[in-house]
Amino acid sequence: MRLLSTTLLLAATFAISLVGTAQGDQPSTTIDHFSLHDHLGAKHSFDEWRDKQAVVVVFLGTECPLAKLYGRRLAEIAAEYEPRGVQFVGIDSNVQDTLQKIGQYVRVHKIEFPVLKDPAHEVADRFDATRTPEAFVLNGEGQILYRGRIDDEYGIGFRRQSEVSHDLTKALDEILAGKTVTTASTEPIGCLIGRAKSKAPTGDVTYTNQVVRLVDKHCVRCHRAGQIAPFALTSYDDVTAWAETMCEVIDDGRMPPWHANPDYGKFANDAHMPSADKQLFRQWVDNGMPEGDSADLPEPTVFNEGWQISDPDLIVRMPQSFTVPAKGTVDYQYFYVDKPIEHDTWIRGAEVRPTNPAVVHHVLMFYLPPGQAEPRPEDPLFNAIASFAPGMPAGLWPEGYARFVPAGSRIVFQMHYTPNGSEQIDQTEVGLVFADPAVEQKEVKIAIAVNTDFEIPPGAANFHVPAGHEFQKDMLLYSLMPHMHYRGKSFRFTARYPDGSSEILLDVPRYDFNWQNVYTFEEPKRMPKGTVVFCDGYFDNSAENPANPDPAQTVRWGDQTWEEMMLGVLVVSLP
């Protein structure tokens, strides 16, 4: 591959042997020697660190979200422990990571210890390293005394609120105290190391003829430069480098981020990946990822970087920019537009445009009615004017249907930001399209099925909380949105019609608080007068839920994320 040929210019020679040991629960691997170059071309060898109390080798990747989040923390841990005789070393074995990317990663995260390039991932293979970040602690003889995660604060799609297990520093403290490492191995969490192809490509499923179209359909809207996804998937080299990680997240249902059970409902914004597409991608990977004939490549997908709706009648911007920190969890941010809406306003369409989509997880722009100073917990949903989540298209209501905002209302932005490893700035704006004043409008409203009276016991793994909404008139139902917090496990909307029949409208078997999806029907569904929509939410307050803030607490309704909500949001209008 072209990337491999460039990095070989600075490739190192090294010799590594694996020698079995047997000392209790200690890992049975010893690294005799390795020698690699850093991104500036300087050569570093394990031999130069043999007099250290311990050597920490961490496998890193420049684009992996977990490696980004832990980059600054590793720099801080190294600054604390290096004066105590501990040497830190980073190794990048990803075939897709260039020396320039490694240099940028080092600068952004203010890393002072050497970060080495491992061409052809031979050092990673000898360590049996699988993910980024993954840490190994060696003594001067090269014996691995600890391997695994740095700590348990971050995971796939969550950040723990408390009781963080500091696995790496605990191991270092025990080693420096002359003790045996209590926990010598933990499971690393992160991206799979992007290894070079190890199998000769075969078969007629190729990147240029099938896979590029599949990736364009399911991935590229977010996985391109400047968007929220952590890496691009816009070329053959991109896709082959991330192929194993893609297989993992696709098989696990984490990507694409669509949580509806495909057996129920037809949705205009359906982003799920059909089984046939999953099988095709897996077949291509298993066949060695043949590239194919460049003549088969389709025209590149062109994304509209301007307004996707018609030119807005009004653009509303956050009153000030917000600086997103490099790491940690950012509480929901609220920004109040000072100038109230002067006249009763009918809004037919809205489009949210973050200035920095790489860190904007989702947006709800809503209004505060006249005379109301602060939002209630339900207001961002009940009074929503515009919403945004990665991949969510802008929308216009049908002619004659619009959202109504009364005169004197104030506009508020509710912003959910996601740190990506470096400090970022955003000042999101929203374009509004007003309804034609010559056309009589039917109001698009928000209906809510809500239950505020519940208590989830400590440790309950599957606690049921019901809610419901009865239609007092014939209505059209446009979309549904479940809303719970970190203990939310699953959610289902079921309609019981006046004739006694029932229909599952939406089933979300694996609710994920990190993705506030709105499920918009392909065609509005008619809800006759007397129809009841039942919502069934299930909550996991057990220790097995990695996102659970505290499984020992009884949980009740509240607007803080360590509390819970049980809301079913329905967007409706008169027929």
Side-chain angles (χ1 to χ4, degrees), residues 97-343:
D97 285 347
T98 63
L99 299 174
Q100 291 78 12
K101 286 182 178 179
I102 296 172
Q104 183 180 19
Y105 180 90
V106 168
R107 290 190 295 273
V108 166
H109 299 290
K110 303 185 186 313
I111 293 174
E112 300 292 335
F113 56 81
V115 178
L116 315 179
K117 179 62 180 176
D118 176 22
H121 50 79
E122 294 185 48
V123 175
D125 291 347
R126 299 303 179 89
F127 271 84
D128 196 27
T130 58
R131 296 185 181 271
T132 60
E134 185 171 0
F136 296 77
V137 182
L138 293 74
N139 62 16
E141 288 72 45
Q143 180 186 6
I144 297 177
L145 305 178
Y146 170 80
R147 64 180 297 161
R149 65 194 181 194
I150 297 160
D151 58 43
D152 71 344
E153 180 175 3
Y154 293 103
I156 302 300
F158 72 88
R159 175 180 185 256
R160 294 184 188 274
Q161 302 294 311
S162 60
E163 299 184 12
V164 176
S165 177
H166 300 284
D167 304 285
L168 175 59
T169 56
K170 179 183 176 183
L172 287 174
D173 289 339
E174 291 175 335
I175 292 168
L176 294 175
K179 301 177 181 178
T180 300
V181 176
T182 304
T183 304
S185 180
T186 59
E187 189 70 25
I189 303 295
C191 307
L192 292 170
I193 292 174
R195 287 170 159 85
K197 292 189 295 183
S198 59
K199 182 179 180 180
T202 60
D204 57 2
V205 177
T206 68
Y207 174 79
T208 59
N209 202 30
Q210 291 107 328
V211 173
V212 65
R213 293 166 173 82
L214 185 154
V215 173
D216 279 354
K217 177 182 177 183
H218 296 292
C219 310
V220 172
R221 177 176 293 277
C222 296
H223 284 271
R224 55 193 173 96
Q227 300 302 305
I228 195 170
F231 49 84
L233 293 173
T234 52
S235 72
Y236 172 72
D237 285 349
D238 290 338
V239 178
T240 55
W242 288 101
E244 290 297 338
T245 292
M246 291 172 70
C247 285
E248 181 178 72
V249 299
I250 288 169
D251 291 345
D252 193 43
R254 301 201 303 268
M255 288 285 147
W258 180 259
H259 302 93
N261 183 341
D263 292 340
Y264 305 104
K266 299 293 183 183
F267 301 99
N269 59 331
D270 189 343
H272 94 279
M273 195 171 189
S275 296
D277 287 357
K278 295 179 182 180
Q279 293 168 4
L280 182 68
F281 188 80
R282 170 59 74 179
Q283 178 185 350
W284 176 70
V285 174
D286 291 344
N287 287 349
M289 299 178 287
E291 183 171 8
D293 188 342
S294 61
D296 294 331
L297 282 170
E299 289 295 320
T301 302
V302 177
F303 292 93
N304 185 356
E305 302 300 341
W307 293 104
Q308 298 177 42
I309 56 177
S310 57
D311 289 339
D313 296 304
L314 176 67
I315 297 175
V316 183
R317 173 172 278 204
M318 285 167 44
Q320 66 268 355
S321 63
F322 180 74
T323 300
V324 183
K327 61 180 183 177
T329 297
V330 180
D331 292 336
Y332 281 20
Q333 300 294 309
Y334 291 83
F335 299 89
Y336 297 80
V337 177
D338 291 333
K339 187 178 180 181
I341 299 293
E342 295 182 356
H343 309 287

Side-chain angles (χ1 to χ4, degrees), residues 195-522:
R195 287 170 159 85
K197 292 189 295 183
S198 59
K199 182 179 180 180
T202 60
D204 57 2
V205 177
T206 68
Y207 174 79
T208 59
N209 202 30
Q210 291 107 328
V211 173
V212 65
R213 293 166 173 82
L214 185 154
V215 173
D216 279 354
K217 177 182 177 183
H218 296 292
C219 310
V220 172
R221 177 176 293 277
C222 296
H223 284 271
R224 55 193 173 96
Q227 300 302 305
I228 195 170
F231 49 84
L233 293 173
T234 52
S235 72
Y236 172 72
D237 285 349
D238 290 338
V239 178
T240 55
W242 288 101
E244 290 297 338
T245 292
M246 291 172 70
C247 285
E248 181 178 72
V249 299
I250 288 169
D251 291 345
D252 193 43
R254 301 201 303 268
M255 288 285 147
W258 180 259
H259 302 93
N261 183 341
D263 292 340
Y264 305 104
K266 299 293 183 183
F267 301 99
N269 59 331
D270 189 343
H272 94 279
M273 195 171 189
S275 296
D277 287 357
K278 295 179 182 180
Q279 293 168 4
L280 182 68
F281 188 80
R282 170 59 74 179
Q283 178 185 350
W284 176 70
V285 174
D286 291 344
N287 287 349
M289 299 178 287
E291 183 171 8
D293 188 342
S294 61
D296 294 331
L297 282 170
E299 289 295 320
T301 302
V302 177
F303 292 93
N304 185 356
E305 302 300 341
W307 293 104
Q308 298 177 42
I309 56 177
S310 57
D311 289 339
D313 296 304
L314 176 67
I315 297 175
V316 183
R317 173 172 278 204
M318 285 167 44
Q320 66 268 355
S321 63
F322 180 74
T323 300
V324 183
K327 61 180 183 177
T329 297
V330 180
D331 292 336
Y332 281 20
Q333 300 294 309
Y334 291 83
F335 299 89
Y336 297 80
V337 177
D338 291 333
K339 187 178 180 181
I341 299 293
E342 295 182 356
H343 309 287
D344 288 351
T345 303
W346 291 90
I347 298 174
R348 184 180 170 223
E351 179 181 344
V352 180
R353 288 183 60 184
T355 59
N356 192 343
V359 290
V360 177
H361 188 280
H362 76 262
V363 180
L364 285 172
M365 190 183 85
F366 63 99
Y367 69 89
L368 287 180
Q372 183 178 324
E374 296 293 334
R376 300 165 298 178
E378 64 270 23
D379 282 340
L381 299 173
F382 195 78
N383 295 340
I385 300 171
S387 60
F388 166 86
M392 181 184 293
L396 290 171
W397 298 108
E399 188 71 46
Y401 293 83
R403 288 284 281 149
F404 177 70
V405 180
S409 298
R410 293 179 64 199
I411 300 298
V412 184
F413 288 79
Q414 183 200 72
M415 303 295 301
H416 181 189
Y417 290 108
T418 303
N420 68 359
S422 62
E423 192 174 272
Q424 302 284 324
I425 296 175
D426 174 69
Q427 192 170 7
T428 289
E429 61 185 9
V430 177
L432 301 177
V433 176
F434 298 146
D436 186 346
V439 177
E440 184 177 351
Q441 301 297 320
K442 292 183 178 180
E443 184 177 0
V444 176
K445 296 184 177 182
I446 309 295
I448 292 182
V450 58
N451 185 342
T452 62
D453 186 20
F454 58 82
E455 291 187 355
I456 306 174
N462 198 41
F463 188 81
H464 178 223
V465 179
H469 176 81
E470 182 174 357
F471 289 99
Q472 304 300 320
K473 301 177 180 179
D474 290 353
M475 301 292 282
L476 291 178
L477 175 61
Y478 293 98
S479 65
L480 300 169
M481 177 182 173
H483 184 71
M484 301 185 283
H485 291 168
Y486 285 123
R487 295 172 177 88
K489 182 178 183 180
S490 66
F491 203 106
R492 175 177 283 189
F493 290 82
T494 304
R496 188 183 69 195
Y497 299 108
D499 63 4
S501 63
S502 295
E503 178 186 11
I504 297 173
L505 302 174
L506 170 67
D507 179 46
V508 180
R510 292 172 60 186
Y511 177 81
D512 187 344
F513 175 70
N514 293 289
W515 296 99
Q516 298 291 319
N517 282 336
V518 175
Y519 301 89
T520 303
F521 291 106
E522 284 186 350

Side-chain angles (χ1 to χ4, degrees), residues 543-572:
E544 298 302 311
N545 175 4
N548 192 348
D550 187 352
Q553 294 297 316
T554 298
V555 184
R556 300 174 180 85
W557 171 274
D559 61 342
Q560 300 298 323
T561 55
W562 61 81
E563 300 168 313
E564 271 303 338
M565 285 188 176
M566 173 59 195
L567 284 170
V569 182
L570 305 88
V571 178
V572 300

